[in-house]
Amino acid sequence: NGQLWFVEARGGRVAKMDPETGKYTEYDVPVPDSVRNNALLKGKRDIWDLRRMGVDGNGDLWFGDQGFSRLIKIDHNTGKMTAYPFPAYDGHPYGTTVDKARNLIWVGEPNADKIARFDPRTNTVVEFPLPYKTAQKTVFVDPTQPNRVWYSGDGADGKGRLGYIEVLP
């Protein structure tokens, strides 16, 4: 809708900016007190670690919250956020991309060595293990082959990795 959206990685906020006026609006990312207290008890210095956004076919934005291992959707009209916890608490959702044709959300889970697919219609997560340890930071749906999702990142051996998973229809 012409607005620029971004996450404040360590600030616990999402912001949008109107490029014509320069005005921006910030939205606080919700965290239940029980989750915040649990994180602080585990010695986390920074409880926020918000990561890369993807936009779905409705214009809503999705991003990973590494600090609490959840995927968050923000309604681009209202700013309302909905959080979806991930099965692997240590997965730390990072890069997010959207298959707009099917409205499926894909997320890299670098600490769990998996790529996850979230279906917002059913609120289900399917995780796909990767063949080697990698800290994938970027995922994207191949526009020419929508069953193929590419990822890249650093391997456990310090070398860069590029690969894909292909989900059979």
Side-chain angles (χ1 to χ4, degrees):
N1 63 359
Q3 304 294 300
L4 301 174
W5 287 83
F6 57 95
V7 294
E8 297 176 14
R10 301 277 188 214
R13 292 186 194 92
V14 175
K16 72 174 178 179
M17 185 187 81
D18 183 331
E20 290 184 20
T21 65
K23 180 183 174 193
Y24 69 95
T25 306
E26 292 181 308
Y27 302 91
D28 290 326
V29 175
V31 176
D33 287 339
S34 61
V35 173
R36 181 189 314 272
N37 293 339
N38 188 35
L40 293 173
L41 285 174
K42 290 183 177 181
K44 287 185 167 223
R45 291 188 337 253
D46 296 315
I47 61 172
W48 299 108
D49 200 357
L50 309 177
R51 295 298 169 169
R52 301 177 179 162
M53 294 183 127
V55 181
D56 68 19
N58 299 321
D60 295 328
L61 299 108
W62 296 82
F63 60 94
D65 178 359
Q66 277 198 304
F68 295 113
S69 277
R70 49 189 194 155
L71 179 65
I72 298 178
K73 172 189 159 187
I74 181 166
D75 182 302
H76 76 283
N77 289 314
T78 65
K80 179 185 177 210
M81 289 187 225
T82 306
Y84 302 92
F86 263 49
Y89 183 76
D90 64 346
H92 302 291
Y94 196 95
T96 306
T97 190
V98 179
D99 175 349
K100 291 182 183 180
R102 297 181 189 124
N103 203 34
L104 297 171
I105 316 305
W106 290 89
V107 183
E109 293 183 281
N111 288 17
D113 298 316
K114 298 175 183 175
I115 302 288
R117 180 184 67 202
F118 178 73
D119 186 338
R121 292 175 299 270
T122 61
N123 288 342
T124 56
V125 176
V126 177
E127 295 179 306
F128 301 90
L130 298 177
Y132 50 81
K133 291 199 174 291
T134 180
Q136 77 278 4
K137 305 243 190 278
T138 304
V139 294
F140 66 94
V141 176
D142 189 322
T144 63
Q145 297 181 26
N147 290 326
R148 185 174 287 178
V149 177
W150 290 87
Y151 61 89
S152 66
D154 301 324
D157 57 5
K159 296 179 181 177
R161 299 276 192 221
L162 174 66
Y164 67 87
I165 59 171
E166 192 152 354
V167 180
L168 300 177

